[in-house]
Amino acid sequence: MKRQKFRAQRPPDREFPEIVYSAGHYAYMAPDLTQHPELRRRILFVLSGEPSGTLTATAALNRIYRGFDWTPKDHEPFPSAANNEPRWHKRTTTQYSRMVREGLAHPSPHQHWSLTPTGLGITSTEDDALGLERARRARMWEELRAKGGPTEVRPQLVNELGFHSGQRGIYADKTRTVSVVSPAGIALTFLHTGTSYDDELTETGVVYHFPQTKDKPRDRSEIEAARAAFTFGMPVFVNTTAERGTKTVYRGYIEDFSDDLKALLVTFTNDELLPNSAVEDPFSTTDDSLNGAAQALRATRPNQKRFAFAVLARYKERCAVCPTAVPGLVQAAHLVPKKNKGSDDARNGLAICANHHLALDRGYWGINPQTLAIEVSRKGPGASQLGITVQTLHHLPARPHKNALEQAWRTWQGHALNT
């Protein structure tokens, strides 16, 4: 059967009303709901990745739900659905029915979802296109290095090789990467000026904040292009200003992506980056108790921002013990500190404001691992003086690992303020 080919650009039509033409390019309107092109991409992604090619409808919907981010409105009950069925569930099921009518998926009389050869052809064509795009990015990088890069190169060379175009913060070459499964394109380059946003650049990576300009459709389009690069594990580049007006380009991967933080984490590496597992690794309170494989992986993937990003995403960038929720004032604190070889596992962390981070480090307060109660030191200031406004950590969306809490508690009980 003839494979369906991708088109580099697709004008808006009735089936995809969310894509509009603005300022010379196609872009997403900022949606309250996850839109149908994205729902289709998620169905294709999940079903094409299943070795048998078939999943029960329930299993497919569960994987789609767990594997992607959703808007608050996606979780609201669908107006005409029974049993308070959420909008994301009803609309994803409706999208599958559309794919059946278009010959991309098989009917599901027995509640099993699977793609037809045409549907699989779309994903196969996309796989081919992704492979070609990866190869193109590899050639760009090698050519940049062959011409004296990637540090302190002429801005003209960066543009000539196709790393950037215009003044976009997140650049996607849409003529090459727009498709059914990436309707906003796939991000290629992130412009880091150090002035527009509080992006934290280090030698190992950058926490890159989502664009927030007056051009909301363009912002949304750039964010979705970045999400596609993350989803497909596509290498990306960070373009920075260097000495004497030159540019330095970093190569890496989007290692993490958080709609809650409105930020993503790019890890710099010249090698391949192993995908993050959806299953949490076995917990260890200290780095030196990890096995050789884990230590080797850390050595090849250094990033001092990884721990902070994971902790803030886990706890929603809000202080655990006071109302502070100002980005930049909430920090990632180790429960078992680095000076005691504490691990960079996010479950060994807590999001707290700068004041309470300092107070924790100085032993003024601790956490009872049995009750999650906040305890203050016997010889120090009281909870009100410290500005601690909660009594326990039960309100948190996630909890630190009990082993980290227990080790931190033992250390705190032996502190001079408690003896």
Side-chain angles (χ1 to χ4, degrees), residues 90-123:
K90 177 67 174 177
R91 297 175 75 250
T92 303
T93 302
T94 299
Q95 180 57 220
Y96 184 82
S97 297
R98 290 184 181 180
M99 293 171 65
V100 170
R101 292 197 300 271
E102 295 172 21
L104 304 179
H106 290 292
S108 55
H110 303 294
Q111 292 299 303
H112 280 76
W113 285 11
S114 62
L115 300 177
T116 64
T118 302
L120 288 171
I122 288 180
T123 58

mmCIF file of all heavy atoms in Angstrom, residues 90-123:
data_model
loop_
_atom_site.group_PDB
_atom_site.id
_atom_site.type_symbol
_atom_site.label_atom_id
_atom_site.label_comp_id
_atom_site.label_asym_id
_atom_site.label_seq_id
_atom_site.Cartn_x
_atom_site.Cartn_y
_atom_site.Cartn_z
ATOM 1 N N LYS A 90 -12.387 11.666 26.211
ATOM 2 C CA LYS A 90 -13.422 11.696 25.180
ATOM 3 C C LYS A 90 -12.854 12.174 23.858
ATOM 4 O O LYS A 90 -13.118 11.592 22.794
ATOM 5 C CB LYS A 90 -14.552 12.625 25.634
ATOM 6 C CG LYS A 90 -15.667 12.811 24.614
ATOM 7 C CD LYS A 90 -16.441 11.526 24.386
ATOM 8 C CE LYS A 90 -17.639 11.769 23.471
ATOM 9 N NZ LYS A 90 -18.366 10.511 23.182
ATOM 10 N N ARG A 91 -12.036 13.220 23.876
ATOM 11 C CA ARG A 91 -11.526 13.799 22.643
ATOM 12 C C ARG A 91 -10.472 12.905 21.994
ATOM 13 O O ARG A 91 -10.363 12.848 20.769
ATOM 14 C CB ARG A 91 -10.983 15.197 22.914
ATOM 15 C CG ARG A 91 -12.065 16.154 23.384
ATOM 16 C CD ARG A 91 -11.544 17.515 23.781
ATOM 17 N NE ARG A 91 -11.193 18.307 22.615
ATOM 18 C CZ ARG A 91 -9.963 18.620 22.261
ATOM 19 N NH1 ARG A 91 -8.930 18.200 22.999
ATOM 20 N NH2 ARG A 91 -9.719 19.342 21.184
ATOM 21 N N THR A 92 -9.684 12.185 22.795
ATOM 22 C CA THR A 92 -8.714 11.243 22.220
ATOM 23 C C THR A 92 -9.441 10.083 21.555
ATOM 24 O O THR A 92 -9.063 9.622 20.470
ATOM 25 C CB THR A 92 -7.767 10.724 23.314
ATOM 26 O OG1 THR A 92 -7.106 11.820 23.941
ATOM 27 C CG2 THR A 92 -6.714 9.790 22.726
ATOM 28 N N THR A 93 -10.506 9.597 22.191
ATOM 29 C CA THR A 93 -11.312 8.527 21.594
ATOM 30 C C THR A 93 -11.955 8.998 20.293
ATOM 31 O O THR A 93 -12.004 8.259 19.298
ATOM 32 C CB THR A 93 -12.402 8.066 22.587
ATOM 33 O OG1 THR A 93 -11.780 7.632 23.801
ATOM 34 C CG2 THR A 93 -13.208 6.918 22.016
ATOM 35 N N THR A 94 -12.438 10.234 20.284
ATOM 36 C CA THR A 94 -13.021 10.799 19.069
ATOM 37 C C THR A 94 -11.978 10.906 17.962
ATOM 38 O O THR A 94 -12.259 10.629 16.791
ATOM 39 C CB THR A 94 -13.619 12.185 19.365
ATOM 40 O OG1 THR A 94 -14.651 12.052 20.349
ATOM 41 C CG2 THR A 94 -14.186 12.824 18.107
ATOM 42 N N GLN A 95 -10.768 11.296 18.330
ATOM 43 C CA GLN A 95 -9.700 11.405 17.336
ATOM 44 C C GLN A 95 -9.379 10.031 16.743
ATOM 45 O O GLN A 95 -9.143 9.913 15.530
ATOM 46 C CB GLN A 95 -8.450 12.019 17.955
ATOM 47 C CG GLN A 95 -7.277 12.167 17.005
ATOM 48 C CD GLN A 95 -7.585 12.981 15.773
ATOM 49 O OE1 GLN A 95 -7.151 12.654 14.674
ATOM 50 N NE2 GLN A 95 -8.358 14.065 15.933
ATOM 51 N N TYR A 96 -9.391 8.989 17.562
ATOM 52 C CA TYR A 96 -9.153 7.644 17.030
ATOM 53 C C TYR A 96 -10.247 7.282 16.020
ATOM 54 O O TYR A 96 -9.967 6.688 14.966
ATOM 55 C CB TYR A 96 -9.100 6.611 18.148
ATOM 56 C CG TYR A 96 -8.760 5.218 17.644
ATOM 57 C CD1 TYR A 96 -7.445 4.848 17.402
ATOM 58 C CD2 TYR A 96 -9.758 4.290 17.373
ATOM 59 C CE1 TYR A 96 -7.133 3.591 16.905
ATOM 60 C CE2 TYR A 96 -9.467 3.031 16.884
ATOM 61 C CZ TYR A 96 -8.145 2.679 16.644
ATOM 62 O OH TYR A 96 -7.842 1.434 16.150
ATOM 63 N N SER A 97 -11.503 7.643 16.326
ATOM 64 C CA SER A 97 -12.602 7.360 15.396
ATOM 65 C C SER A 97 -12.383 8.085 14.073
ATOM 66 O O SER A 97 -12.681 7.546 12.997
ATOM 67 C CB SER A 97 -13.933 7.782 16.024
ATOM 68 O OG SER A 97 -14.191 7.035 17.193
ATOM 69 N N ARG A 98 -11.887 9.310 14.117
ATOM 70 C CA ARG A 98 -11.571 10.031 12.874
ATOM 71 C C ARG A 98 -10.504 9.292 12.073
ATOM 72 O O ARG A 98 -10.565 9.204 10.848
ATOM 73 C CB ARG A 98 -11.074 11.437 13.201
ATOM 74 C CG ARG A 98 -12.128 12.387 13.743
ATOM 75 C CD ARG A 98 -11.530 13.772 13.937
ATOM 76 N NE ARG A 98 -12.485 14.720 14.483
ATOM 77 C CZ ARG A 98 -12.219 15.994 14.747
ATOM 78 N NH1 ARG A 98 -10.994 16.458 14.493
ATOM 79 N NH2 ARG A 98 -13.135 16.789 15.249
ATOM 80 N N MET A 99 -9.495 8.767 12.783
ATOM 81 C CA MET A 99 -8.420 8.041 12.104
ATOM 82 C C MET A 99 -8.957 6.771 11.454
ATOM 83 O O MET A 99 -8.493 6.367 10.389
ATOM 84 C CB MET A 99 -7.314 7.723 13.101
ATOM 85 C CG MET A 99 -6.581 8.962 13.601
ATOM 86 S SD MET A 99 -5.443 8.633 14.970
ATOM 87 C CE MET A 99 -4.239 7.568 14.162
ATOM 88 N N VAL A 100 -9.949 6.141 12.085
ATOM 89 C CA VAL A 100 -10.589 4.958 11.486
ATOM 90 C C VAL A 100 -11.277 5.357 10.182
ATOM 91 O O VAL A 100 -11.131 4.687 9.146
ATOM 92 C CB VAL A 100 -11.590 4.326 12.478
ATOM 93 C CG1 VAL A 100 -12.427 3.254 11.776
ATOM 94 C CG2 VAL A 100 -10.856 3.729 13.674
ATOM 95 N N ARG A 101 -12.032 6.465 10.210
ATOM 96 C CA ARG A 101 -12.742 6.912 9.003
ATOM 97 C C ARG A 101 -11.776 7.269 7.880
ATOM 98 O O ARG A 101 -12.100 7.109 6.704
ATOM 99 C CB ARG A 101 -13.622 8.121 9.343
ATOM 100 C CG ARG A 101 -14.801 7.807 10.245
ATOM 101 C CD ARG A 101 -15.841 8.922 10.210
ATOM 102 N NE ARG A 101 -15.308 10.198 10.648
ATOM 103 C CZ ARG A 101 -15.307 10.609 11.909
ATOM 104 N NH1 ARG A 101 -15.800 9.817 12.862
ATOM 105 N NH2 ARG A 101 -14.819 11.793 12.237
ATOM 106 N N GLU A 102 -10.582 7.736 8.227
ATOM 107 C CA GLU A 102 -9.591 8.122 7.225
ATOM 108 C C GLU A 102 -8.705 6.956 6.799
ATOM 109 O O GLU A 102 -7.787 7.134 5.994
ATOM 110 C CB GLU A 102 -8.725 9.256 7.768
ATOM 111 C CG GLU A 102 -9.503 10.533 8.009
ATOM 112 C CD GLU A 102 -8.665 11.583 8.723
ATOM 113 O OE1 GLU A 102 -7.420 11.485 8.671
ATOM 114 O OE2 GLU A 102 -9.244 12.489 9.346
ATOM 115 N N GLY A 103 -8.961 5.775 7.338
ATOM 116 C CA GLY A 103 -8.193 4.606 6.942
ATOM 117 C C GLY A 103 -6.833 4.493 7.597
ATOM 118 O O GLY A 103 -5.982 3.719 7.155
ATOM 119 N N LEU A 104 -6.602 5.254 8.668
ATOM 120 C CA LEU A 104 -5.321 5.208 9.361
ATOM 121 C C LEU A 104 -5.311 4.211 10.506
ATOM 122 O O LEU A 104 -4.234 3.791 10.955
ATOM 123 C CB LEU A 104 -4.965 6.601 9.913
ATOM 124 C CG LEU A 104 -4.936 7.746 8.891
ATOM 125 C CD1 LEU A 104 -4.604 9.049 9.586
ATOM 126 C CD2 LEU A 104 -3.939 7.448 7.786
ATOM 127 N N ALA A 105 -6.484 3.825 10.978
ATOM 128 C CA ALA A 105 -6.585 2.905 12.110
ATOM 129 C C ALA A 105 -7.723 1.929 11.857
ATOM 130 O O ALA A 105 -8.644 2.212 11.086
ATOM 131 C CB ALA A 105 -6.820 3.674 13.410
ATOM 132 N N HIS A 106 -7.624 0.766 12.501
ATOM 133 C CA HIS A 106 -8.665 -0.258 12.359
ATOM 134 C C HIS A 106 -9.845 0.048 13.286
ATOM 135 O O HIS A 106 -9.663 0.603 14.376
ATOM 136 C CB HIS A 106 -8.099 -1.631 12.720
ATOM 137 C CG HIS A 106 -7.110 -2.160 11.729
ATOM 138 N ND1 HIS A 106 -7.453 -2.536 10.451
ATOM 139 C CD2 HIS A 106 -5.763 -2.377 11.839
ATOM 140 C CE1 HIS A 106 -6.378 -2.967 9.802
ATOM 141 N NE2 HIS A 106 -5.344 -2.877 10.618
ATOM 142 N N PRO A 107 -11.068 -0.336 12.854
ATOM 143 C CA PRO A 107 -12.202 -0.233 13.778
ATOM 144 C C PRO A 107 -11.918 -1.045 15.039
ATOM 145 O O PRO A 107 -11.121 -1.992 15.018
ATOM 146 C CB PRO A 107 -13.361 -0.812 12.971
ATOM 147 C CG PRO A 107 -12.936 -0.697 11.541
ATOM 148 C CD PRO A 107 -11.441 -0.858 11.543
ATOM 149 N N SER A 108 -12.563 -0.701 16.117
ATOM 150 C CA SER A 108 -12.267 -1.373 17.390
ATOM 151 C C SER A 108 -13.531 -1.967 18.021
ATOM 152 O O SER A 108 -13.930 -1.557 19.117
ATOM 153 C CB SER A 108 -11.607 -0.392 18.367
ATOM 154 O OG SER A 108 -12.434 0.752 18.534
ATOM 155 N N PRO A 109 -14.165 -2.940 17.339
ATOM 156 C CA PRO A 109 -15.382 -3.530 17.920
ATOM 157 C C PRO A 109 -15.105 -4.261 19.226
ATOM 158 O O PRO A 109 -15.996 -4.402 20.060
ATOM 159 C CB PRO A 109 -15.858 -4.498 16.825
ATOM 160 C CG PRO A 109 -14.618 -4.807 16.040
ATOM 161 C CD PRO A 109 -13.806 -3.549 16.060
ATOM 162 N N HIS A 110 -13.888 -4.751 19.396
ATOM 163 C CA HIS A 110 -13.525 -5.465 20.630
ATOM 164 C C HIS A 110 -12.638 -4.604 21.518
ATOM 165 O O HIS A 110 -11.894 -5.122 22.351
ATOM 166 C CB HIS A 110 -12.816 -6.775 20.284
ATOM 167 C CG HIS A 110 -13.625 -7.674 19.398
ATOM 168 N ND1 HIS A 110 -14.811 -8.259 19.813
ATOM 169 C CD2 HIS A 110 -13.426 -8.066 18.108
ATOM 170 C CE1 HIS A 110 -15.311 -8.977 18.816
ATOM 171 N NE2 HIS A 110 -14.494 -8.881 17.770
ATOM 172 N N GLN A 111 -12.721 -3.299 21.322
ATOM 173 C CA GLN A 111 -11.989 -2.353 22.159
ATOM 174 C C GLN A 111 -10.472 -2.561 22.097
ATOM 175 O O GLN A 111 -9.779 -2.492 23.109
ATOM 176 C CB GLN A 111 -12.480 -2.420 23.609
ATOM 177 C CG GLN A 111 -13.900 -1.912 23.798
ATOM 178 C CD GLN A 111 -14.037 -0.440 23.385
ATOM 179 O OE1 GLN A 111 -13.336 0.430 23.898
ATOM 180 N NE2 GLN A 111 -14.930 -0.174 22.441
ATOM 181 N N HIS A 112 -9.977 -2.841 20.877
ATOM 182 C CA HIS A 112 -8.540 -2.891 20.637
ATOM 183 C C HIS A 112 -8.189 -1.835 19.593
ATOM 184 O O HIS A 112 -8.894 -1.688 18.589
ATOM 185 C CB HIS A 112 -8.111 -4.280 20.146
ATOM 186 C CG HIS A 112 -7.978 -5.282 21.242
ATOM 187 N ND1 HIS A 112 -9.078 -5.871 21.845
ATOM 188 C CD2 HIS A 112 -6.881 -5.789 21.860
ATOM 189 C CE1 HIS A 112 -8.660 -6.704 22.785
ATOM 190 N NE2 HIS A 112 -7.340 -6.679 22.813
ATOM 191 N N TRP A 113 -7.110 -1.117 19.835
ATOM 192 C CA TRP A 113 -6.669 -0.088 18.914
ATOM 193 C C TRP A 113 -5.435 -0.562 18.159
ATOM 194 O O TRP A 113 -4.502 -1.120 18.749
ATOM 195 C CB TRP A 113 -6.301 1.191 19.669
ATOM 196 C CG TRP A 113 -7.494 1.979 20.160
ATOM 197 C CD1 TRP A 113 -8.792 1.573 20.187
ATOM 198 C CD2 TRP A 113 -7.472 3.304 20.690
ATOM 199 N NE1 TRP A 113 -9.589 2.550 20.697
ATOM 200 C CE2 TRP A 113 -8.807 3.630 21.024
ATOM 201 C CE3 TRP A 113 -6.471 4.232 20.923
ATOM 202 C CZ2 TRP A 113 -9.148 4.863 21.580
ATOM 203 C CZ3 TRP A 113 -6.806 5.459 21.464
ATOM 204 C CH2 TRP A 113 -8.137 5.777 21.793
ATOM 205 N N SER A 114 -5.415 -0.319 16.837
ATOM 206 C CA SER A 114 -4.240 -0.648 16.036
ATOM 207 C C SER A 114 -4.264 0.192 14.770
ATOM 208 O O SER A 114 -5.320 0.636 14.322
ATOM 209 C CB SER A 114 -4.198 -2.138 15.681
ATOM 210 O OG SER A 114 -5.332 -2.503 14.904
ATOM 211 N N LEU A 115 -3.085 0.393 14.185
ATOM 212 C CA LEU A 115 -2.958 1.191 12.976
ATOM 213 C C LEU A 115 -3.050 0.314 11.739
ATOM 214 O O LEU A 115 -2.617 -0.840 11.741
ATOM 215 C CB LEU A 115 -1.617 1.939 12.972
ATOM 216 C CG LEU A 115 -1.374 2.916 14.123
ATOM 217 C CD1 LEU A 115 0.027 3.518 13.999
ATOM 218 C CD2 LEU A 115 -2.419 4.013 14.151
ATOM 219 N N THR A 116 -3.602 0.856 10.672
ATOM 220 C CA THR A 116 -3.611 0.180 9.379
ATOM 221 C C THR A 116 -2.233 0.336 8.738
ATOM 222 O O THR A 116 -1.395 1.100 9.220
ATOM 223 C CB THR A 116 -4.668 0.809 8.465
ATOM 224 O OG1 THR A 116 -4.286 2.164 8.204
ATOM 225 C CG2 THR A 116 -6.058 0.774 9.101
ATOM 226 N N PRO A 117 -1.973 -0.387 7.640
ATOM 227 C CA PRO A 117 -0.701 -0.169 6.926
ATOM 228 C C PRO A 117 -0.476 1.292 6.544
ATOM 229 O O PRO A 117 0.651 1.786 6.571
ATOM 230 C CB PRO A 117 -0.844 -1.071 5.701
ATOM 231 C CG PRO A 117 -1.725 -2.184 6.170
ATOM 232 C CD PRO A 117 -2.720 -1.531 7.082
ATOM 233 N N THR A 118 -1.570 1.990 6.184
ATOM 234 C CA THR A 118 -1.422 3.414 5.857
ATOM 235 C C THR A 118 -1.010 4.207 7.080
ATOM 236 O O THR A 118 -0.134 5.083 7.010
ATOM 237 C CB THR A 118 -2.740 3.971 5.291
ATOM 238 O OG1 THR A 118 -3.100 3.229 4.133
ATOM 239 C CG2 THR A 118 -2.598 5.444 4.932
ATOM 240 N N GLY A 119 -1.628 3.914 8.234
ATOM 241 C CA GLY A 119 -1.253 4.589 9.470
ATOM 242 C C GLY A 119 0.180 4.298 9.858
ATOM 243 O O GLY A 119 0.927 5.194 10.268
ATOM 244 N N LEU A 120 0.570 3.040 9.718
ATOM 245 C CA LEU A 120 1.959 2.672 10.009
ATOM 246 C C LEU A 120 2.903 3.314 9.011
ATOM 247 O O LEU A 120 4.046 3.657 9.340
ATOM 248 C CB LEU A 120 2.118 1.150 9.976
ATOM 249 C CG LEU A 120 1.487 0.390 11.144
ATOM 250 C CD1 LEU A 120 1.515 -1.110 10.877
ATOM 251 C CD2 LEU A 120 2.225 0.709 12.443
ATOM 252 N N GLY A 121 2.412 3.497 7.749
ATOM 253 C CA GLY A 121 3.234 4.162 6.746
ATOM 254 C C GLY A 121 3.530 5.593 7.124
ATOM 255 O O GLY A 121 4.623 6.107 6.862
ATOM 256 N N ILE A 122 2.552 6.254 7.760
ATOM 257 C CA ILE A 122 2.784 7.628 8.214
ATOM 258 C C ILE A 122 3.911 7.646 9.226
ATOM 259 O O ILE A 122 4.835 8.453 9.147
ATOM 260 C CB ILE A 122 1.497 8.214 8.830
ATOM 261 C CG1 ILE A 122 0.479 8.511 7.736
ATOM 262 C CG2 ILE A 122 1.805 9.492 9.621
ATOM 263 C CD1 ILE A 122 -0.817 9.079 8.253
ATOM 264 N N THR A 123 3.840 6.723 10.199
ATOM 265 C CA THR A 123 4.882 6.712 11.222
ATOM 266 C C THR A 123 6.210 6.272 10.637
ATOM 267 O O THR A 123 7.268 6.756 11.043
ATOM 268 C CB THR A 123 4.485 5.791 12.390
ATOM 269 O OG1 THR A 123 4.258 4.457 11.897
ATOM 270 C CG2 THR A 123 3.223 6.290 13.056
#
